Amino acid sequence: MIASRDAIVETDVPARLDRLTWGRFHTLVVVALGITWVLDGLEVTITGSIAGALKSSPVLHLSDMQVGLAGSFYLVGAVAGALFFGWLTDKLGRKKLFTLTLGLYLAATAATALSPNFAVFALFRLLTGAGIGGEYAAINSAIQELIPARYRGHTDLVINGSFWIGAALGALGAVALLDTGWFTPEIGWRLSFGLGAVLGLGILLLRRWIPESPRWLMLHGRIQEAEAVVGEIEARLGVAPPAEPLPRLRLRPRALTLGDVGQTLFRDYPKRTVLGVILMATQAFFYNAIFFTYALVLGRFYGVADADVGLYLLPFAAGNFLGPLLLGRLFDTVGRRPMIALTYAMSGLLLFVTAWLFVHGVLDARTQTLAWSVVFFFASAAASSAYLTVSESFPLELRALAIALFYAFGTALGGVAGPWLLGTLIGTGGRGPIGWGYALGAALMLAGAVAAWRLGIAAERRPLEDVATPLGHAE
């Protein structure tokens, strides 16, 4: 039964979800939904790892600028997909968008392999990004709403950090497929784009077992369905229904309007809005500028062969995954504000040092990789904490749309221009201009650290409804 729009309903759904201890159901949620980040890492790394093959392809024959521009098209698609599918996610539900966004990704990444020229290649990279961007909104909101509060920070950081599992898979796949003993480079780069499609097909089956978010059902007045889903989760975990009454939430179901969005972001939570934009934009520039063009740096300045680029990305990926994995628990214990500020500050300071060493020719291919691995040990946790911040700082009714908006504006401000700018600087052939590009990324991360320290909130171990009161909350 769906409650009428003017009716006030009561439910203990949030309390029942947050009282659960970790079990197989939560692991399934992480694997089936968190795969989005693995797929994104796979896509980004493949494009970076095969940059040399794309440049030497007799069909595409891309320039350094076009390689960077292709990365920017991917991010433009991700921005558009996040906005459109984020709106649909809040309107139609988390579960209905899973198949749609994953299907778009599968079709577009497979079609990329058939690209006859740069224009078609860029178009399919844009559509691939749209699928991934749409996934972000639906997946992050669902994960936040299904994971108990005391595990939320660490879980979110590790899931975001799993981007680098995909990066490692992409690097290994690119090495194997670009090995001229197996395939020609022209066939190899095309086969590389099939890796994501194969991985995504398996995930479609896992997602059949993920229920609709009980919190989304609750907000839309579907209380009986929400409580039934929670009961199923409890049964799957072998947990008995609560013997004692739990805190109940009183709600008046309502439809979200654009006025609600504007009022929430700019009148009710202006400081959180500013913080979210800064954190997302700074990490987006930092990451996308450096990572989308890393293969170009290895090839131009260190003479690394195209087929070997993936091997240099493996330790880099390891540092990126270990950061959220090892530091993640501190975000739930030490706290969000100090840890976000610390990881942003360390990322910026270490990048300044690395940029200086690069400009002065101190590093070789191995030590450059080691330096990046140390920098991104902290930067990966910082970037993941930006997604965590925007996904838990605003009311449930606009959770997916808020994630989409901050991802879109943050990526548009900091991420889209990054690959193009660094690709252009690399094309000059000089270390100095590239060093200035790195210095800009470092300065932005330090700005993010200051913003986190001054504007951060203590969201650790608190229910989502406590961090931000639902718009339909009734006294």
Coordinates of all heavy atoms in Angstrom, one line a residue, residues 233-274:
I233 N 16.0 -9.0 4.2 CA 17.5 -8.8 4.5 C 17.8 -9.4 5.9 O 18.8 -10.1 6.0 CB 17.8 -7.3 4.5 CG1 17.7 -6.7 3.1 CG2 19.3 -7.1 5.0 CD1 17.9 -5.2 3.0
E234 N 17.0 -9.2 6.9 CA 17.2 -9.8 8.2 C 17.2 -11.3 8.1 O 18.0 -12.0 8.7 CB 16.1 -9.3 9.2 CG 16.3 -7.8 9.5 CD 15.1 -7.3 10.3 OE1 14.0 -7.9 10.2 OE2 15.3 -6.2 11.0
A235 N 16.3 -11.8 7.3 CA 16.2 -13.3 7.2 C 17.4 -13.8 6.5 O 17.9 -14.9 6.9 CB 14.9 -13.7 6.4
R236 N 17.9 -13.1 5.5 CA 19.1 -13.6 4.8 C 20.3 -13.6 5.7 O 21.3 -14.4 5.5 CB 19.3 -12.7 3.5 CG 18.3 -13.0 2.4 CD 18.3 -11.9 1.4 NE 19.4 -12.0 0.5 CZ 19.6 -11.2 -0.6 NH1 18.6 -10.3 -0.9 NH2 20.6 -11.4 -1.4
L237 N 20.3 -12.7 6.6 CA 21.5 -12.5 7.6 C 21.2 -13.4 8.8 O 22.1 -13.5 9.7 CB 21.7 -11.1 8.0 CG 22.1 -10.1 6.9 CD1 22.1 -8.7 7.4 CD2 23.5 -10.5 6.4
G238 N 20.1 -14.0 8.9 CA 19.8 -14.8 10.1 C 19.6 -14.0 11.4 O 19.9 -14.4 12.5
V239 N 19.0 -12.8 11.2 CA 18.8 -11.8 12.3 C 17.3 -11.8 12.6 O 16.5 -11.6 11.7 CB 19.3 -10.4 12.0 CG1 19.0 -9.4 13.1 CG2 20.8 -10.4 11.7
A240 N 17.0 -12.0 13.9 CA 15.6 -11.9 14.3 C 15.1 -10.5 14.3 O 15.8 -9.6 14.5 CB 15.4 -12.5 15.7
P241 N 13.8 -10.3 14.0 CA 13.2 -9.0 14.1 C 13.4 -8.4 15.5 O 13.6 -9.1 16.5 CB 11.7 -9.2 13.9 CG 11.6 -10.5 13.1 CD 12.8 -11.3 13.6
P242 N 13.5 -7.1 15.6 CA 13.8 -6.5 16.9 C 12.8 -6.8 18.0 O 11.6 -6.8 17.8 CB 13.8 -5.0 16.6 CG 13.0 -4.8 15.4 CD 13.3 -6.1 14.6
A243 N 13.3 -7.2 19.2 CA 12.4 -7.6 20.3 C 11.9 -6.4 21.0 O 10.8 -6.4 21.5 CB 13.2 -8.5 21.3
E244 N 12.7 -5.3 21.0 CA 12.3 -4.1 21.6 C 12.0 -3.0 20.6 O 12.6 -3.0 19.5 CB 13.4 -3.6 22.6 CG 13.8 -4.5 23.7 CD 12.6 -4.7 24.7 OE1 11.8 -3.8 24.8 OE2 12.5 -5.8 25.3
P245 N 11.1 -2.1 20.9 CA 10.8 -1.0 19.9 C 12.1 -0.2 19.6 O 12.9 0.1 20.4 CB 9.8 -0.1 20.6 CG 9.2 -1.1 21.6 CD 10.3 -2.0 22.1
L246 N 12.3 0.1 18.3 CA 13.4 0.9 17.8 C 12.9 2.3 17.5 O 11.7 2.5 17.3 CB 14.0 0.3 16.5 CG 14.7 -1.1 16.7 CD1 15.1 -1.6 15.3 CD2 15.9 -1.0 17.6
P247 N 13.8 3.3 17.4 CA 13.4 4.7 17.1 C 12.7 4.7 15.8 O 13.1 4.0 14.8 CB 14.8 5.4 17.0 CG 15.7 4.6 17.9 CD 15.3 3.2 17.7
R248 N 11.6 5.4 15.7 CA 10.8 5.5 14.5 C 10.8 6.9 13.9 O 10.9 7.9 14.6 CB 9.3 5.1 14.9 CG 9.1 3.7 15.4 CD 7.7 3.4 15.7 NE 6.9 3.2 14.5 CZ 6.8 2.1 13.7 NH1 7.5 1.1 14.1 NH2 6.0 2.1 12.7
L249 N 10.8 6.9 12.6 CA 10.8 8.1 11.9 C 9.5 8.5 11.3 O 8.8 7.6 10.8 CB 11.8 8.0 10.7 CG 12.2 9.2 9.9 CD1 12.9 10.2 10.7 CD2 13.0 8.8 8.6
R250 N 9.0 9.7 11.6 CA 7.8 10.2 11.1 C 8.0 11.0 9.8 O 8.8 11.9 9.8 CB 7.1 11.1 12.1 CG 6.5 10.3 13.3 CD 6.1 11.2 14.4 NE 5.1 12.2 14.0 CZ 3.8 12.1 13.9 NH1 3.3 10.9 14.2 NH2 3.0 13.1 13.5
L251 N 7.3 10.6 8.7 CA 7.5 11.2 7.4 C 6.2 11.6 6.8 O 5.1 10.9 7.0 CB 8.2 10.2 6.5 CG 9.7 9.9 6.8 CD1 10.1 8.7 5.9 CD2 10.6 11.1 6.5
R252 N 6.2 12.6 6.0 CA 5.1 12.9 5.1 C 5.6 12.8 3.6 O 6.4 13.6 3.2 CB 4.6 14.3 5.3 CG 3.4 14.7 4.4 CD 2.9 16.2 4.7 NE 2.1 16.2 5.9 CZ 2.5 16.8 7.0 NH1 3.7 17.3 7.1 NH2 1.7 16.8 8.1
P253 N 5.3 11.7 2.9 CA 5.8 11.5 1.6 C 5.5 12.7 0.7 O 4.4 13.3 0.8 CB 5.0 10.2 1.1 CG 4.7 9.5 2.3 CD 4.4 10.6 3.4
R254 N 6.4 13.1 -0.1 CA 6.3 14.2 -1.0 C 7.1 14.1 -2.2 O 8.1 13.3 -2.3 CB 6.7 15.5 -0.2 CG 8.1 15.4 0.3 CD 8.6 16.7 1.0 NE 8.7 17.8 0.0 CZ 9.0 19.0 0.3 NH1 9.3 19.3 1.5 NH2 9.1 19.9 -0.6
A255 N 6.7 14.8 -3.3 CA 7.4 14.8 -4.5 C 8.5 15.8 -4.5 O 8.2 17.0 -4.0 CB 6.5 15.0 -5.7
L256 N 9.7 15.5 -5.0 CA 10.8 16.5 -5.0 C 10.6 17.5 -6.2 O 10.3 17.1 -7.3 CB 12.1 15.7 -5.1 CG 13.4 16.6 -5.1 CD1 13.6 17.1 -3.7 CD2 14.6 15.7 -5.5
T257 N 10.8 18.7 -5.9 CA 10.7 19.8 -6.9 C 12.1 20.4 -7.1 O 12.9 20.3 -6.2 CB 9.7 20.8 -6.6 OG1 10.1 21.6 -5.4 CG2 8.3 20.2 -6.3
L258 N 12.2 21.2 -8.2 CA 13.5 21.9 -8.4 C 13.6 23.0 -7.3 O 14.8 23.3 -6.9 CB 13.5 22.6 -9.8 CG 13.6 21.6 -11.0 CD1 13.6 22.4 -12.3 CD2 15.0 20.9 -10.9
G259 N 12.5 23.5 -6.8 CA 12.6 24.5 -5.7 C 13.2 23.9 -4.5 O 13.9 24.5 -3.7
D260 N 12.8 22.6 -4.2 CA 13.3 21.9 -3.0 C 14.9 21.8 -3.2 O 15.6 21.9 -2.2 CB 12.7 20.5 -2.9 CG 11.2 20.6 -2.5 OD1 10.9 21.5 -1.8 OD2 10.5 19.7 -3.0
V261 N 15.3 21.4 -4.4 CA 16.7 21.2 -4.6 C 17.5 22.5 -4.4 O 18.5 22.6 -3.6 CB 17.0 20.7 -6.1 CG1 18.5 20.6 -6.3 CG2 16.3 19.4 -6.3
G262 N 17.0 23.6 -5.0 CA 17.7 24.9 -4.8 C 17.7 25.4 -3.3 O 18.7 25.8 -2.8
Q263 N 16.5 25.2 -2.7 CA 16.5 25.6 -1.3 C 17.4 24.8 -0.4 O 18.0 25.3 0.5 CB 15.0 25.5 -0.8 CG 14.8 25.8 0.7 CD 13.4 25.8 1.1 OE1 12.5 26.4 0.5 NE2 13.1 25.0 2.2
T264 N 17.4 23.5 -0.6 CA 18.3 22.6 0.2 C 19.7 22.9 0.0 O 20.5 23.0 1.0 CB 18.0 21.1 -0.2 OG1 16.6 20.8 0.0 CG2 18.9 20.2 0.7
L265 N 20.2 23.1 -1.2 CA 21.6 23.3 -1.5 C 22.1 24.7 -1.1 O 23.2 24.8 -0.5 CB 21.9 23.1 -3.0 CG 21.7 21.6 -3.5 CD1 22.0 21.6 -5.0 CD2 22.5 20.6 -2.7
F266 N 21.2 25.7 -1.3 CA 21.7 27.1 -1.2 C 21.2 27.8 0.0 O 21.8 28.8 0.4 CB 21.4 27.9 -2.5 CG 22.0 27.3 -3.7 CD1 21.2 26.7 -4.7 CD2 23.4 27.3 -3.9 CE1 21.8 26.1 -5.8 CE2 24.0 26.7 -5.0 CZ 23.2 26.1 -6.0
R267 N 20.1 27.4 0.6 CA 19.6 28.0 1.8 C 19.8 27.2 3.1 O 20.3 27.7 4.1 CB 18.1 28.4 1.7 CG 17.7 29.4 2.7 CD 16.2 29.6 2.7 NE 15.4 28.5 3.2 CZ 14.1 28.5 3.4 NH1 13.4 29.5 2.9 NH2 13.5 27.5 3.9
D268 N 19.4 25.9 3.0 CA 19.5 25.0 4.2 C 21.0 24.6 4.4 O 21.4 24.5 5.6 CB 18.6 23.8 4.0 CG 17.2 24.2 3.9 OD1 16.8 25.3 4.3 OD2 16.4 23.4 3.3
Y269 N 21.7 24.2 3.4 CA 23.1 23.7 3.6 C 24.1 24.4 2.7 O 24.8 23.7 1.9 CB 23.1 22.2 3.3 CG 22.2 21.4 4.2 CD1 21.0 20.9 3.7 CD2 22.5 21.1 5.5 CE1 20.1 20.1 4.5 CE2 21.7 20.3 6.3 CZ 20.5 19.9 5.8 OH 19.7 19.1 6.6
P270 N 24.2 25.7 2.7 CA 25.2 26.4 1.8 C 26.6 26.0 2.0 O 27.4 25.8 1.1 CB 24.9 27.8 2.1 CG 24.4 27.9 3.5 CD 23.5 26.6 3.6
K271 N 27.0 25.8 3.3 CA 28.4 25.4 3.6 C 28.7 24.0 3.0 O 29.8 23.8 2.5 CB 28.7 25.5 5.1 CG 28.7 26.9 5.6 CD 29.0 26.9 7.1 CE 29.0 28.3 7.7 NZ 29.4 28.3 9.1
R272 N 27.8 23.1 3.2 CA 28.0 21.8 2.6 C 28.1 21.8 1.1 O 28.8 21.0 0.5 CB 26.9 20.8 3.1 CG 26.8 20.6 4.6 CD 25.8 19.6 5.0 NE 25.6 19.5 6.5 CZ 24.9 18.6 7.1 NH1 24.2 17.7 6.4 NH2 24.8 18.6 8.4
T273 N 27.3 22.7 0.5 CA 27.3 22.8 -0.9 C 28.7 23.3 -1.4 O 29.3 22.7 -2.4 CB 26.2 23.7 -1.4 OG1 25.0 23.2 -1.0 CG2 26.3 23.9 -2.9
V274 N 29.2 24.3 -0.8 CA 30.5 24.9 -1.2 C 31.6 23.8 -1.0 O 32.5 23.6 -1.8 CB 30.8 26.1 -0.3 CG1 32.3 26.6 -0.5 CG2 29.9 27.3 -0.7

